[in-house]
Amino acid sequence: KGGGAYTRSGTTNYSLCVFNSNSASDATSGEGGAMFVNGGTSTLTNCVLAANTAAGTGGDGGGAIKVAAGTLNLQSSTLAGNSSASTVKTDANTVSTLSGSTTDILNTIIWGSAAAHVNTGGTVNFTNALVKGATLTAPSLSANPKFTNEAVPAGADGVWLTTDDGLNLLPCSPAINVASAAAPATDILNRARV
């Protein structure tokens, strides 16, 4: 559980970070490919979670994150290309939540090849978010974010947090200029937000 990080209590803050190609690899119960939140408050700001997997067919999924208890805050982050093998929660390819947990998704993109990415078993709040397969109210939306090259998320140089990253947005992206006032002043590459 939690291929990259596991939190059980307290307050954990992640900023300007990348969780890439992590796996909760148990074929039966692997959950939370990059992170498993089992209590406390975890906040990710200006982070990328890409190509993480939850391999458990009988688990709750959460290719990127499983929130079993506590609170998860996703702020101004991009979660792309995450997947789950769960046959229990087929909509939990990126985030899986359980009853009693709270997940706030603010100014964040969640996208990938599967039809749905966020399971709402717990309380999930979407604010100025772009999430594939979710039923959202404007200004949140479920539209292709138009990444520059989703197939190569770290870019041609293979180095994260550089200008050639494939998860940068094309100028025609519907995600540009729609962040709420709560967004950090700069993005993950230290570029000013508009």
Side-chain angles (χ1 to χ4, degrees), residues 12 14 17 19 34-35 37 41-49 64-67 71-80 82 94-97 102-110 117-118 124-131 180 182-184:
T12 308
Y14 300 88
C17 66
F19 285 85
M35 180 180 293
V37 178
T41 300
S42 294
T43 300
L44 288 90
T45 305
N46 272 347
C47 292
V48 174
L49 288 84
I65 304 170
K66 177 178 176 180
V67 187
T71 300
L72 170 68
N73 299 307
L74 288 171
Q75 303 173 347
S76 302
S77 294
T78 299
L79 291 77
N82 299 289
T94 299
V95 178
S96 178
T97 66
T102 300
T103 300
D104 292 315
I105 301 172
L106 170 68
N107 299 328
T108 291
I109 297 171
I110 300 177
H117 288 268
V118 178
V124 180
N125 303 304
F126 300 98
T127 306
N128 294 68
L130 190 155
V131 182
S180 73

Side-chain angles (χ1 to χ4, degrees), residues 7 27 34 57 62 69 95-96 111 114-116 118 127 148-149 152 156 175 181 184 188-190:
T7 60
T57 57
V95 178
S96 178
W111 200 257
V118 178
T127 306
T148 56
N149 189 352
V152 186
I188 197 165
L189 296 179
N190 204 32

